[in-house]
Amino acid sequence: MTAEEFRLLRDFVYGHCGILVRDDMQFIMQRRLWPRLEALGLKDFSAYYRYLRFDPQRRTELDTAIEALTTHETYFFREPRQLKAFTDELLPKLERRNARSRRLRFWSAGCSSGEEAYTVAMLLKESGRFEGWDVEVYGTDISRRVLATARQGEYGPSALRATSSEKLARYFTQISPNRVRVRDDVRAWVSFGHHNLQDPETGPLISRMDAVFCRNVLIYFDTPARQRVLRLIYDKLVPGGYLMLGHSENLINLSADFELVHLRGDLVYRKPNPTGGSGS
């Protein structure tokens, strides 16, 4: 891969989905995309760039390229301190605020293979607060492959490494010695959809949300792309709705639209409520 080929492919990927491929990642891009050249019978990365731009199958191949360039490492019950604060402090607030409508919507943005979305549904179940409510956890990702895994709801040991034996017995069904499936009562509260966080045309597919989990997603973007994601999330949150980021992420120099909320167990962000209510 020449420097010019790297620049063309890097800029094309960025324009499509906002993912920033740093200058020092040329070799990684070459290694991860080379199998695509072989599969398509292309002689060099210039030909591959032209394929992504002009071939009738370009959208399918672009999805495949993005899949090759991104990492989807995740697992159930990740970042337990934040999940405990969500369960102990935010869910009671959401229960009181939505008591009349008995309706709750959560968004797992960049959900990968679905562990986070199912985790949220399990925590809602475990709280015992929302039986009989209209509840949905909506997981979205740019990768159709990981979404297929999410919809299947079957996982191995790596995804379960932070899952206690109690939760394993309560929320999963053993289907083989090393595979489990999420139980149907949990799956009933979760749905998945393909979504590009950088594509404004797909924004209307997302409904208004009471809380958004966007954890360890912003790290893939540069500052302008992060700001676009945050504007989308702000627009999709109801007034007083909450935003959970990864513990290595914050909104410093990115957005002044959200309030920082100091919980006993963690820090989260909230969309201001112009009526003055905070959901408490």
Side-chain angles (χ1 to χ4, degrees):
M1 177 184 286
T2 67
E4 177 63 12
E5 289 170 336
F6 172 70
R7 184 190 67 78
L8 288 170
L9 288 167
R10 178 199 62 193
D11 292 352
F12 189 67
V13 167
Y14 178 81
H16 173 66
C17 63
I19 291 175
L20 179 64
V21 181
R22 301 189 311 270
D23 289 343
D24 60 353
M25 295 178 67
Q26 179 173 333
F27 175 73
I28 294 175
M29 175 179 268
Q30 174 179 314
R31 178 168 54 84
R32 293 187 177 183
L33 293 183
W34 180 254
R36 300 308 309 153
L37 272 70
E38 294 182 319
L40 297 169
L42 301 174
K43 63 177 183 178
D44 55 33
F45 285 98
S46 294
Y48 186 60
Y49 171 73
R50 291 192 295 272
Y51 188 99
L52 291 176
R53 287 290 308 275
F54 305 115
D55 192 89
Q57 300 299 316
R58 60 187 179 276
R59 292 194 66 85
T60 299
E61 180 58 30
L62 184 54
D63 286 346
T64 303
I66 298 301
E67 171 72 32
L69 291 171
T70 52
T71 303
H72 300 287
E73 167 67 14
T74 187
Y75 50 92
F76 287 93
F77 300 101
R78 188 177 186 177
E79 301 191 8
R81 188 178 71 177
Q82 184 183 74
L83 296 179
K84 179 173 173 53
F86 171 73
T87 300
D88 295 347
E89 301 183 62
L90 295 189
L91 289 188
K93 296 176 186 293
L94 293 173
E95 181 187 24
R96 289 191 294 269
R97 190 176 70 193
N98 294 33
R100 179 172 296 181
S101 69
R102 294 173 63 85
R103 181 181 187 274
L104 277 174
R105 293 292 183 269
F106 300 90
W107 180 17
S108 173
C111 70
S112 188
S113 43
E115 290 91 334
E116 179 179 79
Y118 287 127
T119 294
V120 174
M122 291 172 191
L123 295 175
L124 294 169
K125 290 279 184 184
E126 194 167 78
S127 75
R129 297 175 179 274
F130 305 107
E131 293 303 321
W133 284 45
D134 176 10
V135 175
E136 182 184 24
V137 182
Y138 187 45
T140 66
D141 202 274
I142 196 171
S143 167
R144 288 183 169 86
R145 184 185 66 82
V146 297
L147 288 172
T149 300
R151 292 186 180 106
Q152 189 176 34
E154 298 180 4
Y155 299 93
S158 178
L160 301 166
R161 59 185 182 268
T163 304
S164 68
S165 58
E166 177 188 2
K167 287 184 171 62
L168 193 61
R170 182 180 301 176
Y171 298 119
F172 298 88
T173 300
Q174 198 82 34
I175 58 174
S176 75
N178 292 309
R179 299 287 291 177
V180 298
R181 178 183 293 122
V182 178
R183 293 176 67 96
D184 288 346
D185 61 321
V186 175
R187 295 171 62 141
W189 278 7
V190 183
S191 64
F192 296 98
H194 181 258
H195 181 255
N196 180 351
L197 289 167
Q198 297 292 322
D199 184 356
E201 293 184 0
T202 60
L205 300 176
I206 308 298
S207 62
R208 300 297 293 276
M209 298 290 169
D210 295 288
V212 175
F213 287 79
C214 186
R215 305 191 300 174
N216 306 302
V217 173
L218 297 180
I219 56 175
Y220 289 103
F221 303 131
D222 67 357
T223 295
R226 291 174 184 175
Q227 291 171 332
R228 288 193 292 271
V229 173
L230 292 169
R231 284 194 295 270
L232 172 64
I233 291 174
Y234 181 88
D235 289 342
K236 295 304 177 181
L237 277 171
V238 300
Y242 295 96
L243 167 62
M244 272 67 71
L245 299 177
H247 280 152
S248 64
E249 300 169 312
N250 60 65
L251 300 188
I252 295 173
N253 298 323
L254 291 176
S255 174
D257 292 333
F258 297 86
E259 302 168 337
L260 181 62
V261 180
H262 294 260
L263 303 176
R264 293 189 304 273
D266 204 2
L267 300 174
V268 299
Y269 293 93
R270 181 174 60 207
K271 179 176 178 176
N273 190 338
T275 66
S278 64
S280 61

